[in-house]
Amino acid sequence: MKAFLKFDYNLLTKKILEDKLTSFGYKFSILGFGEIEFYENVPEDKIEELREEFLKYGITIIENQKSVLVQKIKDAIHEMVYGEEILNVKVSVYLAEKLNHSYGYLSNLFSDITFTSIENYVIIQKIEFAKQLILNNKLSLTEIAFRLNYSSVAHLSTQFKNTTGITPSAFQRIISKRRDKNQ
Amino acid sequence: MKILSIHKSPLFLKIVFVLAIFIMLFVSALTYRHMDSVTVSSEMVAHSYKVTIEIEQLYTTIKDLEIERRNYLLTKNKKLPTQINFSKLIIKHNIDYLKKITSDNPKQKKLIDTIEKLCLEKFKIVDYGLNNYSSFTQDELKENLLKGKKIMEQISFKINEMLAIENKLLESRDKKNDSLINFTPKFIYITLFVTIAIISLAFVKISRDLQELQTNNEILDLKNETNKLAEIVGKSGTWHLNLVTNEFTFSDNKFRLLGYEPEEFKPTLESYFEKFVHPEDLETLKQAAEKMIVEGHLPTIIYRVEKKNGETIFIKNIANSFVNTKNEKILIGTTTDVTEEIQTNKNLEDRNRELEANNKELQAFNYVASHDLQEPLRKIQTFISRLIDKEINSLSENGKQYLIKIKDSSERMRLLIDDLLQFSRTNKAEKVFVSTCLNELLENSKLELTQIIEDKKAIITSDSLPHLNVIPFQIQQLFTNLINNSLKYSKENIPPKIDIKVKKVEAKNEHKIPFNDKSKFYKITFTDNGIGFDPQYSERIFMLFNRLHNKDEYSGTGIGLAICKKIVDNHKGFIYADGKPNNGAKFTIYLPII
Amino acid sequence: MEKDYIHIILADDDEDDRLFFTDAFDELKMKTKVQTYNDGVELMNYLMAENAVLPNVLFLDLNMPKKNGIECLHEIKADKRFDDIAIAIYSTSSSEEHIEETFVNGANIYIKKPNDFNTLKKVLSDVVTINWQYHTSGLNKDNFLLRM
């Protein structure tokens, strides 16, 4: 018997954080964008415990300030791409405003740390989301293209192919064949 | 047909025969009756004559009496009274006789009675006269005589009446008699005529039937002879098996098929099985024969038979049943020597297998060759690229040039092998047809060629293509190759324009499709504005390795369009090219709608 | 890349291809550790060993003696321990259908061996980078498909 799932990652992560932090014991509050504030000083070894616990869930406590910012950029991009409203703003404008740095600075920092450009990262996220939408099977390619702010299906297909090397339809076919195989 | 057969049926003949007899009997009966009436009517005439004679006889006798009476009264002759009495007797006799013979005629009867009365009166007078003549006075004598005369007159009158009646009767009877007699020959003619007619009809029918029988017999003879010849030529024979009498007859050629002369032995079903049928096929044949006897029908069966000279041949047998006039069921079968066909078939099958195996070998060879050649070539190219990267500066000018040439040649080789591999894949691939959206395939093709399309600033327009049962990867390859072709052979500095159109057509309306029926095709055309080609090459360009330009003008392997043709062939479609030098090219594909 | 090196394993029976592979990574300025194996049996023996250090990316040649790439692919996909490894099929040209089939059988990446060394360097660099991004950006590994 099969059950198909849809994930709301925001809620998912938030819930896990809440559960973990509550059982951690120290008073905390979750500020958006992957920031937690503890109302008391937490000893170093406890932080290590928490770090290890978090790692099991794929949550990393970032030390580096630069890394923090990079993470913020990533989060912002994530929000932009996956957000319910289709944002017509340019990425550069959006990020600069949101994170209060010049886009040039953000861009350089991002490339230095991640070895890839913001534009590239945006594309990766869009294509990732596109993959999810394709597999969900609820929207047509045209609708997906619109949702992700592409000018046409051809544009989406081209970028999809450029990024993954295969066409959206081939992707769908392969994943569905995989599922059939794993019955 | 039914009516004809009724004509010919024995029952009908019997009925007609009985009818004819009846007619003849009827006519004879009529004749007999007629003869009877003639006889009767003659008798009637004779009768009338007799009556007339009798009447006249009576009258004469009465007159005699009168004369004798008068004689006696006048002469007193002693002899006369005896005479008179005698006459009286005769008259009485006559009257009695007349009474008798006129008993059938009431008028005459009445008259004769009257006459009798008158005669009796007369007798009285005569007797009176006789008895009293001696005492007669002259006046008494006169009175007696007068009385007598008066009576005589009355009698005469009555006699005449009688005679008149009888004469009339005689006249009519005579007339009737005459007419009957006159009719008699007519009756005889009619009888004769009817008899002749019946006999003639019978003759005509019999002679016609006889002729038909003869003609039929001739035809049968002819057919029989022809059949015998046909059997000889067709190497076949026939046999009959009478299921009631168990009589097994062979046609002449059936004997010959078994290696014997006609009628050389007397065939029976058992001896046939034992002596001729190949032991391995015996069981199957026996079972089929049993079934045949029950069902009256033997479907085609092939088995082996050993001829007189020991040679084994393949026999094909088929039989049906037929009921003859004696209501016996007869099985009729044909036997054909099919050894040659079986051998030829076997040879064909063997040849086919050989060819198929050969073909598979060639295909495998082609594939493996193309595939396995890739490895060393790739190495060569990679090492060349390493050399060029790292060591080119330590080479002399010539050395650099040579190295570049090697690189170019190896690149050309790679193109060839890639295309050859693609070509052999088109042959080798599993031909699985799936209902596919052709639009999607076209979009995929355009995606594959995105770079070149962008570089050349090409514009590709297309109709919305339909769904069709195709081999998806192959059709996509087809589209890619055609578009690539148009892009490659575009005019310099002019952005290529490719227009793709689709139309549903029927075979009979398209002279390019070699069928002439209503089968449906999709006609897809790729039209470009490139350099075109000379139309005399429109068939050659689909041939393997065929190029219309040398490799320095345009790169190409001469395999791309051959692959297109192969793909279209795999789909049982057709592909044609039209073009004019410098005026673009048009490729037309017909894909059957299945 | 922040902390670790990226652990890469190649299984290929061709000596020259192994050489190209290791040379390419040597020239790339990425922190990588490259291991090579000569055939499928050697590879599986290494992976199946207890406490084996599993690679981030595994490059599999298809035509290997004793045990070929597809057999290895099946064995690896069948074992939950190897779920985190990104598997790249590293092969000479195959037909479209065949390539799709390797994806369906569980490969994440398909690479057609390039004819040119510089292209090889670029391809390997892209693969490793993209894979690392998957790792660090929490992208869905199951949907990771890449064709070069």
Side-chain angles (χ1 to χ4, degrees):
Chain A
M1 207 205 91
K2 281 193 274 188
F4 290 100
L5 304 174
K6 184 180 170 234
F7 294 94
D8 183 346
Y9 292 101
N10 275 334
L11 186 59
L12 195 68
T13 40
K14 201 155 176 238
K15 212 60 186 67
I16 294 177
L17 274 185
E18 278 176 14
D19 289 349
K20 286 291 141 194
L21 289 171
T22 315
S23 59
F24 190 50
Y26 293 88
K27 286 220 191 82
F28 69 93
S29 85
I30 301 176
L31 316 170
F33 275 103
E35 246 183 85
I36 318 170
E37 188 170 352
F38 289 111
Y39 291 121
E40 0 176 9
N41 257 334
V42 187
E44 197 57 41
D45 53 335
K46 284 291 183 199
I47 297 278
E48 272 312 304
E49 262 181 51
L50 189 62
R51 188 196 303 278
E52 272 184 42
E53 188 62 24
F54 272 175
L55 270 177
K56 289 190 200 153
Y57 293 85
I59 304 173
T60 321
I61 301 183
I62 309 172
E63 310 266 355
N64 194 315
Q65 218 20 47
K66 286 191 177 167
S67 305
V68 169
L69 188 53
V70 164
Q71 188 56 45
K72 283 192 175 159
I73 297 173
K74 285 190 182 175
D75 291 339
I77 294 173
H78 200 267
E79 206 185 271
M80 190 178 80
V81 170
Y82 284 75
E84 283 305 314
E85 313 143 20
I86 303 150
L87 288 169
N88 273 321
V89 214
K90 275 183 83 176
V91 177
S92 47
V93 174
Y94 180 77
L95 287 176
E97 269 186 29
K98 186 133 186 152
L99 300 172
N100 234 341
H101 288 276
S102 75
Y103 183 67
Y105 173 69
L106 291 172
S107 166
N108 284 332
L109 174 66
F110 197 86
S111 324
D112 284 344
I113 303 290
T114 66
F115 291 90
T116 168
S117 69
I118 288 182
E119 287 83 18
N120 211 14
Y121 189 77
V122 171
I123 293 174
I124 292 173
Q125 288 297 341
K126 278 170 117 174
I127 297 299
E128 183 66 15
F129 193 28
K131 283 184 185 173
Q132 282 178 29
L133 290 174
I134 289 172
L135 292 179
N136 250 348
N137 236 341
K138 290 217 187 97
L139 299 177
S140 71
L141 267 183
T142 326
E143 289 167 318
I144 296 175
F146 184 61
R147 174 89 171 77
L148 291 170
N149 210 11
Y150 285 100
S151 55
S152 65
V153 175
H155 193 198
L156 164 63
S157 298
T158 313
Q159 203 165 76
F160 195 99
K161 186 148 195 269
N162 284 342
T163 312
T164 64
I166 57 180
T167 62
S169 48
F171 174 77
Q172 192 171 33
R173 198 164 54 233
I174 290 166
I175 299 292
S176 104
K177 279 189 187 168
R178 269 193 189 173
R179 283 184 180 154
D180 291 344
K181 232 176 133 253
N182 292 333
Q183 285 305 1
Chain B
M1 271 291 109
K2 220 179 173 191
I3 301 177
L4 278 177
S5 63
I6 289 180
H7 270 205
K8 291 198 180 6
S9 84
L11 187 62
F12 178 74
L13 225 58
K14 283 187 191 143
I15 291 176
V16 167
F17 176 66
V18 167
L19 216 65
I21 299 268
F22 257 120
I23 291 175
M24 297 207 53
L25 283 176
F26 181 68
V27 170
S28 322
L30 283 178
T31 311
Y32 180 73
R33 257 218 353 208
H34 176 78
M35 297 313 277
D36 227 27
S37 7
V38 166
T39 314
V40 164
S41 128
S42 299
E43 276 175 8
M44 295 304 249
V45 166
H47 186 259
S48 278
Y49 268 124
K50 206 190 273 172
V51 167
T52 307
I53 291 175
E54 277 301 316
I55 294 172
E56 291 191 339
Q57 185 91 8
L58 179 66
Y59 191 52
T60 311
T61 321
I62 293 175
K63 270 213 295 231
D64 279 347
L65 180 65
E66 181 66 13
I67 293 172
E68 284 157 6
R69 188 180 76 101
R70 284 191 190 161
N71 250 359
Y72 186 65
L73 286 175
L74 289 173
T75 63
K76 314 239 177 356
N77 190 342
K78 296 260 177 299
K79 280 192 198 149
L80 285 169
T82 347
Q83 202 90 336
I84 289 172
N85 285 333
F86 190 58
S87 297
K88 271 179 22 189
L89 220 65
I90 293 177
I91 290 172
K92 239 191 157 158
H93 227 86
N94 274 349
I95 288 179
D96 281 339
Y97 188 56
L98 263 173
K99 262 181 150 175
K100 206 160 96 176
I101 63 180
T102 60
S103 57
D104 61 327
N105 197 332
K107 270 197 194 145
Q108 299 288 63
K109 203 162 177 227
K110 215 166 149 198
L111 284 170
I112 202 69
D113 285 338
T114 319
I115 292 178
E116 194 181 22
K117 273 196 196 110
L118 289 170
C119 281
L120 285 173
E121 259 190 61
K122 174 123 184 119
F123 289 167
K124 271 195 200 133
I125 297 171
V126 167
D127 285 339
Y128 189 72
L130 273 181
N131 294 335
N132 300 330
Y133 79 95
S134 40
S135 58
F136 264 175
T137 58
Q138 201 71 7
D139 284 331
E140 279 177 325
L141 192 69
K142 244 196 205 167
E143 196 193 318
N144 194 293
L145 280 172
L146 244 93
K147 261 194 187 165
K149 188 175 176 213
K150 236 183 161 172
I151 299 255
M152 220 33 225
E153 276 175 15
Q154 283 179 340
I155 288 177
S156 181
F157 192 63
K158 290 292 171 209
I159 291 276
N160 279 339
E161 252 190 66
M162 271 189 90
L163 277 176
I165 288 177
E166 203 59 38
N167 262 343
K168 225 178 180 173
L169 204 60
L170 177 66
E171 230 181 88
S172 78
R173 281 186 181 171
D174 206 26
K175 228 184 201 162
K176 187 170 167 198
N177 196 33
D178 256 349
S179 76
L180 277 178
I181 286 183
N182 277 341
F183 198 63
T184 304
K186 291 204 180 97
F187 243 104
I188 294 187
Y189 289 150
I190 288 176
T191 311
L192 188 68
F193 179 69
V194 166
T195 315
I196 289 184
I198 288 181
I199 290 181
S200 308
L201 274 168
F203 173 72
V204 165
K205 179 125 188 21
I206 289 175
S207 105
R208 226 195 274 159
D209 281 350
L210 205 68
Q211 206 168 48
E212 224 186 279
L213 219 71
Q214 251 179 353
T215 319
N216 271 347
N217 274 353
E218 267 172 29
I219 294 177
L220 277 169
D221 276 338
L222 188 68
K223 284 200 170 155
N224 208 17
E225 283 308 309
T226 320
N227 204 24
K228 283 195 178 150
L229 286 173
E231 283 188 3
I232 295 178
V233 168
K235 290 212 263 187
S236 65
T238 49
W239 49 267
H240 297 165
L241 178 64
N242 189 322
L243 286 178
V244 171
T245 65
N246 258 331
E247 192 182 342
F248 200 25
T249 32
F250 282 178
S251 73
D252 285 351
N253 212 40
K254 172 117 180 144
F255 281 105
R256 292 198 198 101
L257 277 185
L258 297 172
Y260 287 83
E261 286 305 305
E263 308 299 333
E264 207 178 301
F265 65 90
K266 183 138 176 43
T268 64
L269 200 57
E270 291 73 31
S271 71
Y272 184 68
F273 283 152
E274 259 178 54
K275 212 166 150 192
F276 295 106
V277 180
H278 195 284
E280 286 175 21
D281 299 331
L282 192 55
E283 202 42 55
T284 337
L285 184 62
K286 273 195 175 163
Q287 279 181 17
E290 272 171 35
K291 221 172 164 212
M292 164 181 84
I293 290 175
V294 166
E295 291 179 5
H297 162 72
L298 175 73
T300 314
I301 183 172
I302 299 183
Y303 56 92
R304 277 160 293 175
V305 141
E306 200 182 296
K307 284 168 72 162
K308 183 179 185 182
N309 59 9
E311 193 187 325
T312 307
I313 55 173
F314 282 85
I315 290 267
K316 180 156 96 172
N317 232 332
I318 189 171
N320 248 324
S321 63
F322 157 82
V323 174
N324 70 2
T325 47
K326 299 191 205 139
N327 229 356
E328 296 164 342
K329 195 165 176 188
I330 302 196
L331 288 167
I332 314 175
T334 358
T335 310
T336 319
D337 182 349
V338 289
T339 319
E340 250 184 66
E341 282 102 317
I342 296 215
Q343 195 56 45
T344 314
N345 260 354
K346 193 164 169 313
N347 287 348
L348 270 173
E349 274 176 33
D350 286 342
R351 267 304 276 156
N352 265 352
R353 253 180 305 215
E354 254 180 64
L355 280 169
E356 264 183 51
N358 227 1
N359 210 16
K360 277 214 160 76
E361 234 178 72
L362 276 169
Q363 276 186 16
F365 172 78
N366 189 12
Y367 178 76
V368 165
S370 326
H371 187 267
D372 288 356
L373 281 170
Q374 286 184 80
E375 272 286 315
L377 182 58
R378 181 175 59 83
K379 301 285 193 59
I380 291 173
Q381 287 192 298
T382 314
F383 281 120
I384 290 177
S385 77
R386 290 285 253 151
L387 260 181
I388 293 181
D389 248 6
K390 300 250 129 93
E391 310 286 335
I392 196 153
N393 294 320
S394 27
L395 286 175
S396 66
E397 274 313 303
N398 277 340
K400 288 185 188 151
Q401 253 192 17
Y402 296 156
L403 193 52
I404 302 293
K405 291 260 182 225
I406 295 174
K407 177 169 189 273
D408 288 345
S409 285
S410 61
E411 181 57 31
R412 172 127 189 96
M413 199 168 150
R414 185 185 69 78
L415 282 177
L416 275 166
I417 291 183
D418 275 353
D419 279 354
L420 268 178
L421 192 55
Q422 213 189 88
F423 182 77
S424 74
R425 280 210 180 109
T426 316
N427 273 334
K428 183 178 182 284
E430 289 291 319
K431 311 241 167 81
V432 177
F433 285 74
V434 176
S435 173
T436 321
C437 174
L438 294 183
N439 264 338
E440 213 181 282
L441 296 180
L442 182 60
E443 289 308 308
N444 287 349
S445 297
K446 290 200 269 182
L447 261 179
E448 259 187 71
L449 300 168
T450 311
Q451 196 59 54
I452 319 177
I453 293 175
E454 258 182 51
D455 289 347
K456 296 216 164 196
K457 300 201 189 2
I459 300 173
I460 303 179
T461 53
S462 63
D463 282 351
S464 178
L465 299 181
H467 275 77
L468 188 57
N469 264 345
V470 293
I471 309 167
F473 282 124
Q474 289 198 3
I475 295 294
Q476 187 171 322
Q477 185 72 64
L478 171 68
F479 288 167
T480 310
N481 281 14
L482 284 175
I483 297 175
N484 199 22
N485 203 61
S486 295
L487 291 173
K488 188 158 52 166
Y489 293 102
S490 56
K491 289 185 184 157
E492 218 179 300
N493 295 328
I494 298 183
K497 266 210 240 147
I498 305 172
D499 189 31
I500 303 162
K501 287 203 143 19
V502 68
K503 192 169 124 172
K504 198 171 185 179
V505 297
E506 277 183 12
K508 60 181 168 93
N509 294 331
E510 296 287 319
H511 64 274
K512 283 207 169 128
I513 302 181
F515 306 140
N516 222 346
D517 55 13
K518 282 194 162 188
S519 46
K520 300 205 171 44
F521 288 78
Y522 277 123
K523 177 181 177 181
I524 308 176
T525 49
F526 286 70
T527 318
D528 68 41
N529 61 348
I531 59 171
F533 61 92
D534 191 331
Q536 68 171 300
Y537 299 124
S538 57
E539 282 182 30
R540 276 183 66 182
I541 57 176
F542 293 109
M543 281 164 51
L544 199 53
F545 298 125
N546 194 283
R547 303 205 65 220
L548 300 180
H549 306 270
N550 72 48
K551 61 174 163 41
D552 298 321
E553 301 172 316
Y554 294 92
S555 73
T557 54
I559 303 179
L561 285 178
I563 294 176
C564 290
K565 181 155 198 328
K566 207 111 247 331
I567 293 174
V568 169
D569 284 347
N570 283 350
H571 287 77
K572 302 224 181 337
F574 306 95
I575 184 168
Y576 300 100
D578 294 304
K580 281 205 209 59
N582 243 340
N583 220 342
K586 178 163 106 168
F587 289 89
T588 312
I589 312 168
Y590 293 99
L591 292 175
I593 302 179
I594 28 159
Chain C
M1 274 123 288
E2 294 195 44
K3 345 177 216 189
D4 291 341
Y5 55 81
I6 303 201
H7 186 191
I8 297 167
I9 290 185
L10 166 70
D12 194 324
D13 63 321
D14 188 287
E15 192 186 335
D16 299 325
D17 278 329
R18 290 200 299 273
L19 180 64
F20 290 148
F21 195 82
T22 48
D23 280 355
F25 274 111
D26 283 342
E27 295 191 17
L28 287 172
K29 48 180 170 48
M30 295 194 273
K31 271 215 202 123
T32 55
K33 174 177 169 201
V34 181
Q35 268 174 285
T36 63
Y37 292 96
N38 296 353
D39 59 61
V41 171
E42 274 189 31
L43 171 73
M44 294 317 295
N45 283 343
Y46 171 80
L47 289 176
M48 293 299 201
E50 257 191 67
N51 301 325
V53 181
L54 301 179
N56 298 108
V57 190
L58 170 64
F59 289 82
L60 275 176
D61 183 22
L62 284 180
N63 294 331
M64 292 186 287
K66 295 190 209 160
K67 196 178 272 189
N68 66 30
I70 294 291
E71 288 169 313
C72 295
L73 178 63
H74 282 140
E75 276 185 40
I76 291 168
K77 286 318 273 185
D79 194 324
K80 290 184 99 30
R81 283 184 290 165
F82 306 130
D83 274 358
D84 265 347
I85 306 177
I87 305 176
I89 300 293
Y90 181 58
S91 178
T92 34
S93 153
S94 297
S95 65
E96 291 298 314
E97 296 99 321
H98 203 194
I99 294 173
E100 243 185 57
E101 236 188 273
T102 61
F103 280 128
V104 172
N105 282 322
N108 298 103
I109 308 163
Y110 181 92
I111 302 169
K112 178 175 161 192
K113 289 182 186 171
N115 331 322
D116 167 272
F117 189 70
N118 292 323
T119 318
L120 177 62
K121 286 205 296 195
K122 172 131 198 340
V123 165
L124 293 178
S125 157
D126 285 346
V127 167
V128 167
T129 312
I130 294 175
N131 178 60
W132 179 77
Q133 275 163 358
Y134 260 80
H135 222 44
T136 58
S137 306
L139 300 178
N140 189 349
K141 214 45 200 329
D142 290 335
N143 293 343
F144 179 27
L145 293 183
L146 179 62
R147 181 169 159 194
M148 314 234 64

